[in-house]
């Protein structure tokens, strides 16, 4: 009886056991799904661990400018290396364009004005101080016209260029009236004359190159036409032209046409100009015109205002003979024809040529056997490469009306259109789909940045740098007349994307971050670096890159560093020995993503503080 009763009871329980097992399975499945949804206890534990590691805490970071004069530097972690301030004489130190080092190099072809970086043993590993009285620049557009004297305390230009309306000294500020040597009526009037020939107003022209830019008033006034200029001038011992340009909020770098190729890709600029830039265009067989041709887009424009244009009027002022000047202009005309540039305009002091859209429309080049075409070399492989006396070939076209290299949409449409270098397959492994996905990703990242720092779109940051720009997605997502971005493509990057950046209507430059950047100290308001330190692991010292960031970042400027958590932790430890406030944040997708974000703010301090200086 017992055995039968027990058997019956066992049979009765069997369906119930099955139901219980199924219920438990469902419960644990739901629990697991809940934990993975960013609301579970597993994530809350991870969040507490992350917060314990100083993540997601931003209250102590203040992105406003305060100018806390005389603020000292304290660090309570005795295990951290402290970086001391450099001596006061290094206030405007430019390591790769140092004046003393420059004078040891030949003056021929401006070699001494090119990049000559210090060897490892001579690198300064200290913090560059700001001058006494340093103040945050005026907001754009006021900064275009006014600069604090304390920030760039050099008056030479106010005397040397007094009659040309470059810059005036008024009280505690410099005023920039918008004048120039070749535009005495002002930059606006000069640009209006150019616009009567060049389609500046409709978005056809977006990127411009200003060779020998002075204080970059041309670039400053082009910005109202939505044209971005890349201006350059050599490092000067007293005039600080590029420093003035950047202080005004205008893109500029220290550079010169000498013996090395310009650090820009081929077919980059829609327009280039020389306004009495004093570059000897006819010397060295026309080498410098050939280099401008390399970086000028098919269909782009070249402007020459100044010698030898209008030589009949100015030959006595320039203290040159009529014959010499006439011969020089004739040689420029001949070189322009060989380069497939068609003269469109000459009036007064201005001459304008347009580069033809393809080689099919260039009969002069076909018939002239003396023209040497560059062969075998990548026209975008330019870092420390010598300029060659040859003409960069056009990309091949299928018809006479096709624009070599691909036709671009007008700006702003070209900002998010698929660039010809992508659609044409110039970048292996990059498709239109992967390019668009990259854009979506950076819109997402930038939206997250704006939540972390609500001042990003406010005008607080004018000069911005992306140290590892990729396709320029960060800059594109930020695009605004209130700011501009210097997109840097590292020379060791896996893909050479700078040509894509220019096709989008953005500007940028090649650079190796194991060396100093070609700019003055305190010239950027915000610096962004995504995966940069992972890229340079085992290439050079992390601290050297961070010290260079400190050199070019303004007091109370901001840095956004995005990288793998292990790398970010190394960086965070180093910067705790610098005069930076730093906080680590989680990836916008949650704490379980290994990529982290380090937000830093450089403290305000000036020369003569209470810390000993490094000589």
């Amino acid at each position: 009886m017992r055995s039968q009763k027990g058997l019956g009871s066992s049979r009765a329980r069997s369906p119930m056991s099955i139901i219980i097992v199924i219920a438990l399975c469902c419960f644990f499945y739901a629990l697991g799904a809940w934990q993975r949804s960013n609301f579970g206890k597993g994530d809350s534990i991870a969040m507490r661990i992350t917060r314990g590691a100083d993540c997601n805490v931003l209250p102590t970071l203040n992105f406003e400018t305060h100018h806390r004069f005389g603020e000292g530097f304290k660090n309570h972690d005795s295990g951290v290396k402290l970086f001391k301030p450099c001596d006061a004489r290094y206030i405007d130190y430019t390591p790769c364009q140092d004046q003393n080092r420059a004078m040891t190099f030949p003056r021929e072809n401006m070699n001494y004005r090119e990049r000559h970086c210090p060897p490892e043993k001579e690198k300064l590993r200290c913090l560059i101080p700001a001058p006494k009285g340093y103040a945050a620049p005026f907001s754009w557009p006021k900064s275009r016209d006014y600069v604090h004297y304390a920030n760039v305390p050099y008056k030479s230009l106010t005397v040397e260029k007094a009659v040309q309306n470059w810059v005036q000294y008024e009280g505690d500020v410099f005023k920039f009236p918008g004048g120039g040597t070749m535009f005495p009526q002002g930059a606006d009037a000069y640009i209006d004359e150019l616009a009567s020939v060049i389609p500046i107003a409709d978005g056809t022209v977006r990127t411009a190159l200003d060779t020998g830019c002075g204080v970059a008033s041309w670039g400053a006034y082009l910005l109202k036409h939505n044209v971005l200029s890349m201006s350059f001038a050599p490092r000067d011992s007293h005039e600080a032209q590029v420093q003035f340009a950047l202080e005004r909020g205008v893109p500029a770098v220290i550079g010169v046409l000498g013996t090395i190729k310009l650090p820009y890709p081929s077919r980059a600029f829609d327009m280039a100009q020389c306004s009495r830039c004093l570059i000897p265009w006819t010397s060295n067989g026309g080498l410098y015109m050939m280099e401008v041709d390399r970086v000028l887009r098919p269909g782009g424009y070249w402007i020459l205002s100044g010698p030898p244009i209008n030589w009949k009027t100015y030959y006595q002022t320039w203290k040159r003979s009529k014959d010499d000047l006439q011969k020089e202009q004739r040689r420029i005309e001949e070189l322009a024809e060989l380069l497939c540039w068609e003269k469109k305009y000459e009036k007064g002091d201005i001459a304008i040529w347009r580069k033809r859209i393809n080689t099919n429309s260039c009969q002069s080049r076909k018939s002239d056997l003396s023209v040497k075409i560059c062969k075998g070399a990548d026209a975008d492989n330019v870092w420390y490469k010598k300029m060659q006396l040859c003409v960069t070939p056009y990309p091949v076209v299928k018809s006479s009306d096709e624009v070599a290299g691909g036709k671009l949409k007008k700006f702003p449409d070209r900002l998010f259109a698929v660039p010809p270098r992508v659609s044409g397959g110039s970048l292996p492994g990059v498709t239109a789909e992967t390019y668009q996905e990259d854009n979506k990703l950076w819109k997402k990242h930038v939206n997250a940045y704006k939540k972390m720092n609500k001042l990003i779109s406010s005008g607080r940051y004018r000069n911005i740098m992306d140290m590892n720009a990729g396709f320029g997605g960060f800059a594109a997502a930020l695009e605004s007349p209130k700011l501009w971005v210097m997109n840097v493509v590292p020379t060791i990057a896996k893909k050479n994307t700078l040509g894509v950046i220019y096709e989008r209507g953005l500007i940028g430059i090649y650079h190796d971050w194991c060396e100093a950047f070609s700019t003055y100290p305190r010239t950027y308001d915000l610096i962004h670096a995504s995966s940069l330190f992972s890229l340079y692991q085992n290439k050079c010292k992390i601290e050297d890159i961070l010290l260079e960031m400190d050199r070019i970042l303004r007091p109370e400027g901001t840095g956004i560093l995005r990288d793998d958590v292990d790398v970010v932790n190394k960086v965070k430890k180093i910067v705790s020995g610098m005069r930076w406030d730093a906080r680590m944040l989680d990836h916008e997708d949650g704490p379980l993503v290994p990529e982290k974000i380090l937000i830093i703010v450089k403290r305000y301090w000036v020369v003569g503080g209470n810390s000993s200086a490094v000589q």
Side-chain angles (χ1 to χ4, degrees):
M1 289 290 294
R2 287 180 183 175
S3 62
Q4 288 178 353
K5 186 177 180 179
L7 181 61
S9 175
S10 175
R11 288 175 179 171
R13 285 197 303 268
S14 182
M16 184 61 68
S17 300
I18 294 171
I19 293 171
I20 291 171
V21 169
I22 292 173
L24 287 172
C25 288
C26 291
F27 171 76
F28 285 114
Y29 177 83
L31 179 62
W34 179 55
Q35 288 179 333
R36 288 193 300 271
S37 67
N38 291 335
F39 295 100
K41 187 175 181 181
D43 273 343
S44 68
I45 293 171
M47 289 284 280
R48 286 200 297 272
I49 293 172
T50 304
R51 285 179 179 138
D54 204 23
C55 294
N56 289 328
V57 182
L58 278 178
T60 58
L61 280 187
N62 194 324
F63 300 104
E64 296 282 5
T65 55
H66 302 287
H67 300 166
R68 299 180 290 276
F69 294 96
E71 179 179 321
F73 175 51
K74 297 179 181 179
N75 191 289
H76 302 289
D77 189 345
S78 59
V80 170
K81 178 180 178 180
L82 299 182
F83 293 91
K84 296 180 179 180
C86 302
D87 186 78
R89 69 178 181 270
Y90 294 110
I91 282 176
D92 291 327
Y93 183 52
T94 54
C96 296
Q97 284 92 7
D98 178 65
Q99 291 297 295
N100 294 328
R101 184 176 293 104
M103 299 311 294
T104 66
F105 289 88
R107 289 177 173 259
E108 184 181 4
N109 294 327
M110 296 293 283
N111 178 276
Y112 76 116
R113 292 291 190 194
E114 295 182 308
R115 288 177 59 87
H116 302 290
C117 299
E120 186 72 18
K121 63 181 180 181
E122 294 181 19
K123 287 184 178 180
L124 288 181
R125 290 189 168 90
C126 50
L127 307 176
I128 301 295
K132 288 183 179 179
Y134 179 88
F138 296 108
S139 297
W140 184 266
K142 185 177 180 180
S143 68
R144 185 194 70 179
D145 303 325
Y146 294 95
V147 164
H148 295 290
Y149 169 76
N151 293 9
V152 195
Y154 308 110
K155 298 181 182 178
S156 297
L157 283 178
T158 65
V159 178
E160 294 181 19
K161 305 294 183 181
V163 298
Q164 297 168 9
N165 253 355
W166 277 32
V167 56
Q168 301 165 356
Y169 177 58
E170 298 181 355
D172 61 352
V173 299
F174 288 112
K175 181 180 179 181
F176 297 84
T181 306
M182 300 313 302
F183 34 94
Q185 305 303 315
D188 275 335
Y190 178 77
I191 291 169
D192 286 344
E193 183 172 358
L194 300 182
S196 68
V197 181
I198 302 170
I200 291 174
D202 69 353
T204 299
V205 170
R206 165 63 176 177
T207 58
L209 179 68
D210 191 4
T211 59
C213 64
V215 294
S217 287
W218 186 65
Y221 280 79
L222 275 174
L223 286 164
K224 69 168 66 174
H225 300 278
N226 215 10
V227 175
L228 269 178
S229 67
M230 174 65 78
S231 301
F232 70 82
R235 171 68 158 90
D236 197 279
S237 59
H238 60 283
E239 294 175 356
Q241 297 177 30
V242 167
Q243 192 174 20
F244 273 124
L246 286 157
E247 201 68 23
R248 297 173 71 184
V250 182
V253 293
I254 302 171
V256 65
L257 266 171
T259 66
I260 303 298
K261 291 182 178 181
L262 294 172
Y264 315 114
S266 60
R267 310 191 309 278
F269 297 98
D270 304 315
M271 175 171 64
Q273 83 133 7
C274 161
S275 176
R276 207 173 198 279
C277 63
L278 304 181
I279 294 171
W281 294 110
T282 59
S283 65
N284 299 319
L287 185 68
Y288 300 139
M289 287 182 68
M290 292 178 184
E291 179 62 2
V292 170
D293 178 71
R294 182 186 69 81
V295 300
L296 191 62
R297 191 180 308 286
Y301 296 84
W302 187 60
I303 305 142
L304 177 59
S305 60
I309 305 304
N310 207 5
W311 55 268
K312 293 179 182 179
T313 302
Y314 293 116
Y315 76 95
Q316 289 180 320
T317 304
W318 296 337
K319 297 180 181 180
R320 294 183 58 187
S321 70
K322 288 184 177 181
D323 288 342
D324 282 349
L325 289 166
Q326 185 179 31
K327 183 179 179 181
E328 184 179 345
Q329 178 155 355
R330 188 182 300 119
R331 179 57 179 153
I332 287 175
E333 305 273 7
E334 291 170 354
L335 287 167
E337 189 173 356
L338 292 177
L339 293 170
C340 297
W341 297 359
E342 180 184 6
K343 194 169 189 180
K344 291 292 188 180
Y345 181 84
E346 182 176 341
K347 183 178 180 182
D349 303 335
I350 300 173
I352 301 174
W353 286 263
R354 187 185 185 205
K355 183 175 179 177
R356 297 181 187 272
I357 62 172
N358 58 51
T359 193
N360 292 353
S361 56
C362 185
Q363 296 302 319
S364 59
R365 183 180 293 184
K366 293 179 180 179
S367 59
D368 194 324
L369 300 177
S370 66
V371 178
K372 182 180 179 183
I373 304 298
C374 303
K375 295 180 180 179
D378 180 357
D380 294 351
N381 182 17
V382 298
W383 189 246
Y384 285 125
K385 296 294 191 299
K386 293 281 186 180
M387 280 188 273
Q388 295 176 296
L389 195 61
C390 59
V391 180
T392 303
Y394 282 91
V396 176
V397 295
K398 295 179 180 178
S399 64
S400 59
D401 59 351
E402 181 183 351
V403 178
K407 186 175 182 180
L408 299 175
K409 294 182 180 293
K410 295 180 180 181
F411 196 85
D413 292 342
R414 74 192 252 191
L415 185 61
F416 288 105
V418 178
R421 277 175 165 91
V422 173
S423 59
S426 298
L427 291 173
V430 179
T431 65
E433 290 74 21
T434 57
Y435 170 76
Q436 297 292 17
E437 284 299 317
D438 185 78
N439 284 330
K440 290 179 183 178
L441 180 64
W442 279 107
K443 287 179 181 178
K444 175 182 172 181
H445 288 338
V446 169
N447 284 335
Y449 295 158
K450 289 178 179 179
K451 292 177 182 177
M452 298 169 191
N453 179 357
K454 297 186 183 300
L455 297 179
I456 286 178
S457 300
S458 69
R460 164 73 176 83
Y461 307 108
R462 171 67 184 171
N463 302 356
I464 297 176
M465 174 181 283
D466 191 357
M467 297 176 72
N468 187 19
F471 298 116
F474 170 76
L478 275 179
E479 171 59 26
S480 166
K482 296 179 182 179
L483 57 85
W484 60 271
V485 179
M486 179 67 76
N487 293 282
V488 182
V489 173
T491 56
I492 65 170
K494 294 179 180 179
K495 295 185 186 299
N496 184 348
T497 55
L498 193 54
V500 168
I501 288 169
Y502 274 95
E503 288 180 343
R504 301 187 73 163
L506 303 169
I507 58 172
I509 195 168
Y510 295 114
H511 184 65
D512 181 358
W513 284 111
C514 291
E515 300 179 356
F517 193 73
S518 293
T519 192
Y520 286 83
R522 304 173 301 280
T523 46
Y524 285 88
D525 306 300
L526 187 151
I527 295 177
H528 177 257
S530 175
S531 301
L532 180 81
F533 295 97
S534 291
L535 179 66
Y536 274 91
Q537 280 194 112
N538 306 318
K539 300 294 183 182
C540 50
K541 295 178 180 178
I542 289 179
E543 72 174 49
D544 285 349
I545 299 176
L546 290 168
L547 286 170
E548 177 61 6
M549 290 174 66
D550 181 81
R551 185 184 74 88
I552 67 180
L553 188 63
R554 295 190 190 279
E556 298 186 310
T558 298
I560 303 175
L561 317 181
R562 174 186 288 269
D563 220 312
D564 182 78
V565 62
D566 293 335
V567 177
V568 171
N569 278 323
K570 290 178 184 177
V571 170
K572 188 173 185 294
K573 182 176 181 180
I574 295 172
V575 304
S576 64
M578 301 166 69
R579 301 184 175 204
W580 294 6
D581 294 319
R583 289 292 181 271
M584 189 161 68
L585 290 85
D586 289 320
H587 189 281
E588 56 265 26
D589 288 342
L592 299 184
V593 179
E595 186 177 72
K596 301 296 177 185
I597 302 166
L598 187 70
I599 306 289
I600 66 98
V601 176
K602 179 178 174 178
R603 297 178 192 172
Y604 180 90
W605 63 281
V606 299
V607 68
N610 57 9
S611 298
S612 59
V614 176
Q615 299 296 318

